[in-house]
Amino acid sequence: MRFPENFLWGVATAAYQIEGAVNEDGRGPSIWDTFSHTPGKVLHSDTGDIACDHYHRLEEDLDLMASLGIRAYRFSVAWPRIQPEGSGLANQKGLDFYRRLVAGLRERSIEPTLTLYHWDLPQALEDRGGWTVRETSERFAEYAGIVYEALKGEVGAWITLNEPWVSAWLGYGAGVHAPGRRDISEALAATHHLLLGHGLAVENMRSLGGNDRIGITLNLSPVRAASEDAADTEAARLVDGNANRLYLDPLFRGAYPEDMLQHYASESDFSFVRDGDLETIAAPLDFLGVNYYMRHTVRAAAEEGRSRFPGMRAEMLIPPGAQTTAMGWPVEPDALTELLVRIDREYTQVPIYITENGAAFYDYADPEGDVDDEERIEFLDSHFRAAHEAIEQGVNLAAYFVWSLLDNFEWAEGYSKRFGIVYVDYPTQRRIPKMSARWYADVIRRNGPPDTNE
Ligand code: IFM
């Protein structure tokens, strides 16, 4: 099984999850600093203060990627390093860190893929309303312009937002992520202002010239009703609307889905949507980033869900017999094929990059110091095959970034969940490539997973 020539194999991380150094070189506080330092919000009161200490171990981590033959690295820029207060002049020391990172990647022939926003909103902007207010969209476009001016021409691909669904619904709806608000109408406003921020950022970056590729990353999940029962089918439609169509439709069809506007009519009058916003949001993109972790099998519930499906009478089931990861997520690689084919048939034929896929398992270093994560190898192998199947069915898939290079700060789960292909021994910060890292290096060399009879 071989992938197309020039297929880009990479790994992904995000700033707050790995960098640490939260008070250095002029960085300002973000909503995740505030949230993680608020008692009861993150498991074991973990914070990103030190994380993987990547800010100080940049060279070592770059060498690590080079030693594994990684071809592309997706990282995110911490907005509060660039604009500590969320607006105004750029903090040069913050930009310098990312200039060093990008130069270090290019020296090692690793293609930089840059995410502008992976959830670390400057606290100063949250204090003025965060993503519930339009001003944040405008500030985001300015910030995007600053980073673009500094690095255009050096970065292979630019991703405006990572997973706006998570920012809006887990941050403002369910309150399990920063900033920890619990209000459906705020989650709706945040959805719109995130998407508008994306559109305005694309506009601003394009106006600055250069031919860099620009896209957005969505977390998407195929949805299946648990039975043919009308109530379950209805629950599945709503969940699909919230998780997938609420983002794909405005970006690729220039309109919010009618059934979602109706469903949320009692929560919001959508007056935050102004004339011209949807045209801005639907500006043509060079690629679509897709983060895939699981399918949602849903059934109707007596009460509205809070965490996974805020504001919907729906709950998620683990299909009988399905394996689950340490996050409790079902492993369903065939749903990745289904998702990619659906995007291609229903939404867009721009190249798709899988910007994240991976899994947490209960990894440990054995007495010899090895981490034998066979489950992760099996997980990745099955998902690479599912992606290949989508290519066979005509999907224009161009890149695959494994989440994640390193074990890291898994948001509300703190350091308890390990997604890395490289194990991090947090007390010493030693990096130990897991068995999956060596296996992935081989996949990259061959341009596909090994034959099953090998
Ligand atoms: O760790 C996260 C990442 O920040 C965004 N996508 C999902 C990953 C696993 O939960």
Side-chain angles (χ1 to χ4, degrees):
M1 176 180 298
R2 292 294 162 263
F3 278 65
E5 221 182 305
N6 299 325
F7 191 81
L8 209 51
W9 296 100
V11 287
T13 64
Y16 189 72
Q17 295 181 273
I18 64 163
E19 285 179 359
V22 290
N23 293 317
E24 280 178 53
D25 292 340
R27 178 187 180 279
S30 80
I31 54 174
W32 269 98
D33 296 291
T34 310
F35 191 76
S36 66
H37 281 270
T38 307
K41 299 294 185 195
V42 174
L43 192 65
H44 305 138
S45 301
D46 289 342
T47 72
D49 289 3
I50 299 175
C52 304
D53 198 31
H54 169 74
Y55 196 77
H56 298 123
R57 291 166 196 266
L58 178 61
E59 291 295 317
E60 176 189 344
D61 290 341
L62 288 168
D63 287 344
L64 175 63
M65 278 188 267
S67 74
L68 296 172
I70 303 296
R71 301 274 160 77
Y73 177 51
R74 172 178 176 236
F75 62 94
S76 79
V77 172
W79 186 351
R81 285 196 195 286
I82 309 303
Q83 290 180 303
E85 296 294 315
S87 59
L89 290 180
N91 169 33
Q92 289 304 321
K93 284 191 173 166
L95 280 175
D96 285 346
F97 173 72
Y98 298 104
R99 287 191 182 107
R100 279 205 309 279
L101 168 55
V102 167
L105 289 167
R106 298 189 78 82
E107 276 160 27
R108 290 164 180 85
S109 305
I110 302 171
E111 184 167 314
T113 297
L114 185 156
T115 305
L116 284 159
Y117 184 72
H118 199 122
W119 309 350
D120 40 5
L121 184 72
Q123 182 61 45
L125 292 183
E126 176 59 24
D127 296 343
R128 295 213 291 272
W131 288 109
T132 67
V133 300
R134 197 175 176 93
E135 189 204 341
T136 302
S137 318
E138 288 156 7
R139 294 289 82 77
F140 176 67
E142 280 167 21
Y143 151 71
I146 292 174
V147 183
Y148 190 77
E149 263 307 6
L151 289 168
K152 73 170 181 236
E154 303 292 324
V155 168
W158 294 78
I159 294 165
T160 52
L161 303 176
N162 178 68
E163 303 184 355
W165 180 91
V166 173
S167 299
W169 293 94
L170 299 189
Y172 292 85
V176 295
H177 274 199
R181 300 209 230 164
R182 292 168 65 122
D183 185 320
I184 303 291
S185 65
E186 290 188 350
L188 290 165
T191 292
H192 183 67
H193 294 130
L194 280 152
L195 290 173
L196 179 64
H198 153 82
L200 292 172
V202 173
E203 213 171 84
N204 194 15
M205 290 156 81
R206 297 240 198 261
S207 77
L208 296 170
N211 281 325
D212 297 26
R213 281 170 280 145
I214 304 177
I216 185 172
T217 280
L218 303 177
N219 57 306
L220 300 170
S221 290
V223 181
R224 175 185 274 174
S227 79
E228 283 170 14
D229 193 278
D232 290 348
T233 313
E234 171 65 3
R237 181 182 63 79
L238 288 177
V239 169
D240 179 52
N242 170 276
N244 301 316
R245 292 183 284 110
L246 196 56
Y247 296 85
L248 286 166
D249 281 26
L251 285 165
F252 295 103
R253 295 180 179 166
Y256 285 112
E258 206 45 55
D259 62 339
M260 287 290 102
L261 296 176
Q262 272 167 29
H263 177 73
Y264 290 119
S266 58
E267 305 282 352
S268 174
D269 59 5
F270 292 87
S271 55
F272 43 75
V273 183
R274 298 203 191 147
D275 282 353
D277 284 2
L278 281 151
E279 287 74 41
T280 304
I281 291 169
L285 296 176
D286 300 310
F287 65 91
L288 171 66
V290 172
N291 292 356
Y292 172 72
Y293 287 93
M294 68 186 131
R295 166 190 274 137
H296 296 326
T297 301
V298 299
R299 74 171 169 213
E303 305 214 331
E304 285 190 358
R306 262 258 151 239
S307 164
R308 185 53 64 184
F309 308 132
M312 325 210 121
R313 292 200 175 156
E315 63 190 5
M316 186 167 149
L317 293 185
I318 305 295
Q323 197 201 338
T324 52
T325 69
M327 297 291 282
W329 297 346
V331 178
E332 296 192 70
D334 58 319
L336 174 59
T337 316
E338 181 185 324
L339 171 64
L340 295 172
V341 170
R342 179 191 188 187
I343 294 169
D344 176 81
R345 306 295 191 263
E346 294 182 23
Y347 288 100
T348 180
Q349 279 88 45
V350 294
I352 298 176
Y353 302 168
I354 295 175
T355 39
E356 283 180 32
N357 172 245
F361 292 107
Y362 294 104
D363 303 322
Y364 59 92
D366 67 20
E368 282 75 46
D370 295 327
V371 183
D372 292 343
D373 57 338
E374 284 172 36
E375 287 164 301
R376 181 170 293 102
I377 294 178
E378 221 174 280
F379 179 98
L380 291 174
D381 184 81
S382 60
H383 286 77
F384 292 166
R385 287 171 199 280
H388 191 267
E389 173 59 30
I391 295 174
E392 302 260 277
Q393 293 187 35
V395 174
N396 186 2
L397 183 68
Y400 204 122
F401 294 81
V402 169
W403 184 268
S404 179
L405 171 65
L406 301 169
D407 292 337
N408 58 47
F409 177 80
E410 177 53 26
W411 309 111
E413 303 291 326
Y415 297 98
S416 69
K417 299 292 185 290
R418 293 180 177 273
F419 275 89
I421 55 169
V422 174
Y423 185 89
V424 177
D425 178 47
Y426 293 109
T428 61
Q429 290 293 345
R430 200 174 140 220
R431 277 71 166 135
I432 307 174
K434 301 178 191 176
M435 195 193 260
S436 59
R438 292 190 293 275
W439 176 83
Y440 188 40
D442 189 46
V443 169
I444 297 172
R445 257 194 313 273
R446 296 162 180 264
N447 195 25
D451 296 338
T452 36
N453 54 5
E454 277 179 58

